[in-house]
Amino acid sequence: MAKINKNKLGLAIGVFIALLHALWALTVLAGFGQKMMDWVFPLHFINSIYEITSFSIMTALLLVVAAFIGGYVMGWVFAWIWSWLDKCCK
């Protein structure tokens, strides 16, 4: 089995998750956030008690940066576990 590069996987997942959250921020900016939530929650058999607030560029930037960091950490940890299992479980 090939060893996974922790940094590359962390970056790939971090960028992917950040892009998803940037798309959500753009959805809120366009005014479709509440409509999307009102559609998604019932699909999961959930009554929504949440209300989408007004768009803020600083909140959106913080969301995207936090999502990237979280995605990077998850990717890095996944690659570390994968490489550890590859070493110990041959």
Side-chain angles (χ1 to χ4, degrees):
M1 231 180 289
K3 184 177 177 181
I4 297 175
N5 183 304
K6 293 186 264 316
N7 190 49
K8 282 185 184 178
L9 185 63
L11 288 171
I13 293 177
V15 168
F16 177 72
I17 298 297
L19 285 173
L20 288 177
H21 283 81
L23 181 61
W24 169 250
L26 290 174
T27 302
V28 172
L29 177 63
F32 297 114
Q34 190 66 52
K35 288 180 184 180
M36 182 175 272
M37 295 304 289
D38 291 343
W39 176 70
V40 169
F41 271 100
L43 286 176
H44 295 88
F45 307 99
I46 300 171
N47 288 325
S48 178
I49 60 170
Y50 300 105
E51 181 181 328
I52 303 301
T53 61
S54 60
F55 181 82
S56 163
I57 189 67
M58 290 309 294
T59 302
L61 289 172
L62 182 60
L63 172 69
V64 172
V65 169
F68 172 79
I69 292 169
Y72 180 88
V73 170
M74 286 188 292
W76 193 96
V77 170
F78 179 88
W80 179 83
I81 292 170
W82 181 277
S83 297
W84 177 75
L85 288 172
D86 186 44
K87 254 193 268 181
C88 79
C89 304
K90 288 187 178 193

